[in-house]
Amino acid sequence: MPPKRKTSQKSDATKSKKQRGEKTELLSLEQMNTLAQEIKNESKFNNFVTLLSQLQLVQNLLTGKEDADAETIGRQIVLIAYERFEVLFNEGMMKGSSKHDEKQRLVINWLTDKYQNFKSAILNLISSRLSYETSLQLDSLEVYLNLVKLESAVAEKQFPKKTYQQLVEVLLNNTISNISPDGSSNNFIVLEFNEIFKSYWDLQFYFFDTLADALSSWKDNLSDKELERVFANFVTIIRSGLKFNSEDLESEPTFVAKDALPSTVYKQNKFKSQFQKCILTILSYPLSTSQSKLMLSILHKRIIPYMSQPQGLMDFLTDSYDLQDDLIIPILSLNSLYELMKSYNLEYPDFYSKLYSLLRPELFYTRYRSRFFRLCDLFLSSTHLSAGLVASFIKRLARLALTSSASGVVIIIPFIYNLLKRHPTCMIMLHNTDGSQVGDPFDNLETNPLNTQAIKSSLWELETLMSHYHPNIATLAKIFGEPFRKPNYNMEDFLDWSYQSLLETEKSRRYKNQAALEFENFEFVLAGNDKEGNCLLEGWCL
């Protein structure tokens, strides 16, 4: 008899479980709407348990395969649960009070627990690697951000930092991130969040305010591959720019209501301090080469203006600038180094020696060639530079022009012309015709531009360029054989030339007269008539 009673009790428990709606099959949209109406009209809060279990079932189904019906039902569940919790927040059912009796406090505690479970379920959806990119995950992100806004409306002068922090950590450290070739993330959830993030400065303030500790913790506990993924997500979110460069933050839009924000969020010093902690921590991660290039490309515009003490980047930048194996990374670090030297008194004694070492043949085949010459023109513009230093740059460029591509020579010629105009003491290199001099005193292998003996050499390479195979370059080089009456060239007119643009120029060139193909014009291809009119080749004359 006792075993039978146990079986009966087990059977009753199974029936009770089914009556509560804890099923292993998806409910229909009509059944979902019925559950929502019961919560609204009859206060059947236990239906939240069914909704959450159904949401977990949807996630399991979408992890295995593409299922449009499950995705539709999942979106309906998320929307229903959000709308019902929104009503409960507005009715004060999610916040305890001394006016509530014991039974009401128990109900509020139970609802609060289910609300936390709902937030966790949404975060799981956002961070899960499903079988395909679903709109359900985008809806979950939107709903979660609305929950942040909802909680801020209930609290007085308090931003829901904990709720927002959980979202930020999930976005940065999730399993669906893939690193693009440029070092950023192609995670569609992160990209969607970035569209919202870049428009509201309050989200930006609390993003960095809540993240510093997590970044430090991840550095000690995550693998190098996981840290690269965190960095990819981080830089993808911030590279669109921040709002804290505005002088009047109060006029800028905020994500939550402005009366829900405390006065501390308007303090730019606090923002810059937290921002700097995050940046210095993320730069200490083991970054790939592409990620280092990505960070250096945005550092001078997207990072330095928002740091409280940009001098903290000196070690990172000088290490990048001193890198010998890669030409691109030192070039990309030039912008930020210049900013630190100009505005923050960075001293770099070997700056010009390193800049000189970047003048290599492969420089003219990189995508950052134009950026380098813009900055190099700026660095060599000072009239306080020694003639020997400038002469080394002129001679090195002239030597590179002999073996460079046509598009590279187009840059070198006006660049050298401008340097000679700016530093007249180097003009002696054009007029050095000492016939007794044997060989070229210029030491092309010397790494220190002050010791190359370039000022004692001559620019014979420029005369060679006057016979260049490309007519445009030959014509351009002949400027050095004329009096220097021409004003400086505008380098922007030459930096973006390529083989294609050179060919297009030749194709569109108009000639005044017909181009001569021979010394004489013939009426026939193979033969013609002699002076007496006789045919020179029988059968080929008219």
Side-chain angles (χ1 to χ4, degrees):
M1 294 298 293
K4 290 183 180 180
R5 284 197 296 270
K6 289 181 180 179
T7 303
S8 178
Q9 291 174 357
K10 184 177 180 180
S11 177
D12 292 342
T14 302
K15 291 180 181 180
S16 176
K17 185 176 181 179
K18 289 182 179 181
Q19 290 173 356
R20 291 197 302 267
E22 298 178 12
K23 300 182 179 181
T24 57
E25 297 180 356
L26 280 180
L27 300 179
S28 64
L29 292 177
E30 291 77 10
Q31 290 173 310
M32 294 295 175
N33 291 328
T34 300
L35 292 175
Q37 291 299 322
E38 290 177 352
I39 296 174
K40 178 180 179 180
N41 300 328
E42 304 176 24
S43 298
K44 288 188 176 181
F45 300 135
N46 203 44
N47 288 352
F48 281 120
V49 178
T50 304
L51 291 175
L52 293 175
S53 63
Q54 288 285 297
L55 190 58
Q56 180 61 50
L57 181 58
V58 167
Q59 181 176 338
N60 294 338
L61 291 173
L62 294 177
T63 302
K65 61 179 181 179
E66 183 174 345
D67 192 330
D69 293 337
E71 183 181 352
T72 302
I73 292 174
R75 296 174 67 183
Q76 186 73 5
I77 295 172
V78 170
L79 182 60
I80 288 173
Y82 167 71
E83 290 177 346
R84 298 285 71 82
F85 279 119
E86 182 180 25
V87 172
L88 293 173
F89 266 104
N90 293 333
E91 293 178 350
M93 290 294 293
M94 301 299 296
K95 185 177 181 181
S97 174
S98 57
K99 298 179 181 179
H100 294 147
D101 56 26
E102 184 65 24
K103 183 178 180 180
Q104 289 175 321
R105 283 197 291 271
L106 289 174
V107 172
I108 291 174
N109 291 337
W110 188 89
L111 287 173
T112 302
D113 181 64
K114 295 299 170 283
Y115 175 69
Q116 297 299 330
N117 292 340
F118 175 58
K119 290 197 298 184
S120 299
I122 293 180
L123 292 176
N124 287 335
L125 268 175
I126 293 174
S127 62
S128 296
R129 183 183 287 272
L130 303 183
S131 58
Y132 64 107
E133 296 180 357
T134 67
S135 56
L136 171 59
Q137 290 174 295
L138 296 177
D139 289 346
S140 298
L141 174 64
E142 182 180 356
V143 166
Y144 195 93
L145 287 172
N146 285 333
L147 292 178
V148 172
K149 188 179 297 185
L150 187 62
E151 291 182 21
S152 68
V154 175
E156 296 181 358
K157 291 288 183 181
Q158 186 175 355
F159 186 91
K161 290 177 59 174
K162 185 65 176 178
T163 299
Y164 184 57
Q165 180 181 0
Q166 292 172 344
L167 174 63
V168 169
E169 293 180 4
V170 161
L171 288 173
L172 294 183
N173 185 22
N174 60 69
T175 59
I176 62 176
S177 296
N178 294 314
I179 301 178
S180 300
D182 66 347
S184 63
S185 172
N186 60 6
N187 184 345
F188 72 107
I189 300 292
V190 172
L191 294 174
E192 180 67 21
F193 175 75
N194 179 50
E195 292 299 316
I196 303 171
F197 175 83
K198 66 183 182 182
S199 301
Y200 302 105
W201 62 266
D202 55 334
L203 292 183
Q204 296 172 8
F205 178 91
Y206 285 106
F207 178 88
F208 298 104
D209 191 49
T210 60
L211 193 57
D213 293 338
L215 291 176
S216 299
S217 175
W218 289 339
K219 181 181 177 181
D220 298 329
N221 299 311
L222 297 182
S223 65
D224 290 353
K225 190 66 178 178
E226 290 171 326
L227 292 176
E228 287 183 10
R229 186 179 62 211
V230 170
F231 176 87
N233 290 326
F234 178 86
V235 75
T236 301
I237 291 174
I238 70 168
R239 68 177 177 179
S240 297
L242 303 175
K243 287 281 188 178
F244 266 80
N245 57 352
S246 174
E247 296 181 356
D248 186 13
L249 282 178
E250 295 185 3
S251 63
E252 295 290 337
T254 56
F255 185 74
V256 303
K258 291 187 177 182
D259 56 3
L261 295 173
S263 58
T264 54
V265 301
Y266 294 95
K267 297 179 179 179
Q268 294 205 13
N269 289 337
K270 182 177 181 180
F271 169 81
K272 289 185 175 182
S273 175
Q274 294 299 98
F275 178 80
Q276 175 153 326
K277 287 181 182 179
C278 294
I279 293 298
L280 295 181
T281 303
I282 204 78
L283 287 179
S284 66
Y285 283 9
L287 307 181
S288 64
T289 301
S290 59
Q291 289 181 333
S292 297
K293 293 177 182 178
L294 177 61
M295 178 57 81
L296 288 170
S297 65
I298 67 172
L299 205 62
H300 61 292
K301 288 186 177 180
R302 301 286 188 248
I303 306 296
I304 290 180
Y306 305 103
M307 297 183 68
S308 58
Q309 293 180 326
Q311 298 90 333
L313 296 171
M314 288 182 180
D315 291 340
F316 174 74
L317 288 174
T318 52
D319 289 345
S320 300
Y321 192 50
D322 290 336
L323 196 64
Q324 298 293 334
D325 300 333
D326 196 308
L327 179 65
I328 304 299
I329 290 180
I331 291 176
L332 292 176
S333 64
L334 283 173
N335 283 100
S336 301
L337 275 175
Y338 172 70
E339 185 66 26
L340 291 186
M341 289 189 294
K342 180 186 71 172
S343 304
Y344 300 97
N345 299 321
L346 171 64
E347 294 184 5
Y348 198 104
D350 298 328
F351 178 80
Y352 283 98
S353 297
K354 179 61 182 177
L355 185 67
Y356 180 76
S357 70
L358 296 180
L359 296 176
R360 311 176 199 168
E362 58 267 29
L363 170 66
F364 297 93
Y365 301 94
T366 66
R367 59 182 297 189
Y368 299 105
R369 179 182 65 186
S370 299
R371 174 187 290 213
F372 173 82
F373 278 99
R374 286 189 184 96
L375 291 171
C376 194
D377 185 52
L378 178 64
F379 299 147
L380 296 175
S381 61
S382 174
T383 56
H384 297 286
L385 296 176
S386 68
L389 176 70
V390 177
S392 295
F393 278 87
I394 293 175
K395 183 65 177 179
R396 184 68 167 265
L397 286 170
R399 185 66 60 87
L400 289 174
L402 296 178
T403 56
S404 178
S405 63
S407 58
V409 181
V410 169
I411 298 175
I412 292 175
I413 291 176
F415 194 87
I416 291 178
Y417 185 90
N418 289 351
L419 286 179
L420 291 173
K421 288 278 289 187
R422 195 179 296 141
H423 303 276
T425 52
C426 295
M427 291 289 290
I428 190 175
M429 301 173 68
L430 282 178
H431 305 291
N432 189 355
T433 58
D434 187 2
S436 63
Q437 184 173 322
V438 179
D440 192 337
F442 172 67
D443 187 358
N444 196 38
L445 300 179
E446 174 61 48
T447 58
N448 189 342
L450 295 175
N451 300 329
T452 62
Q453 305 296 319
I455 195 68
K456 299 179 181 179
S457 178
S458 66
L459 293 177
W460 57 264
E461 297 90 350
L462 299 181
E463 185 173 359
T464 305
L465 293 178
M466 295 179 188
S467 303
H468 197 274
Y469 71 88
H470 198 289
N472 286 357
I473 294 176
T475 303
L476 190 61
K478 290 177 182 178
I479 191 70
F480 295 105
E482 302 172 0
F484 270 51
R485 298 192 184 100
K486 182 179 177 62
N488 286 355
Y489 283 100
N490 182 8
M491 289 305 301
E492 292 299 325
D493 297 335
F494 301 91
L495 292 177
D496 295 324
W497 281 81
S498 62
Y499 274 117
Q500 182 177 358
S501 58
L502 287 170
L503 289 173
E504 290 295 329
T505 301
E506 288 300 309
K507 286 171 59 178
S508 60
R509 183 188 299 274
R510 292 185 177 183
Y511 295 94
K512 294 181 180 180
N513 300 314
Q514 183 180 0
L517 300 179
E518 269 292 351
F519 293 102
E520 299 179 18
N521 290 329
F522 292 93
E523 297 179 1
F524 301 92
V525 177
L526 297 178
N529 299 328
D530 57 16
K531 294 182 179 180
E532 288 76 18
N534 299 321
C535 183
L536 295 176
L537 185 62
E538 187 177 353
W540 290 90
C541 299
L542 294 177

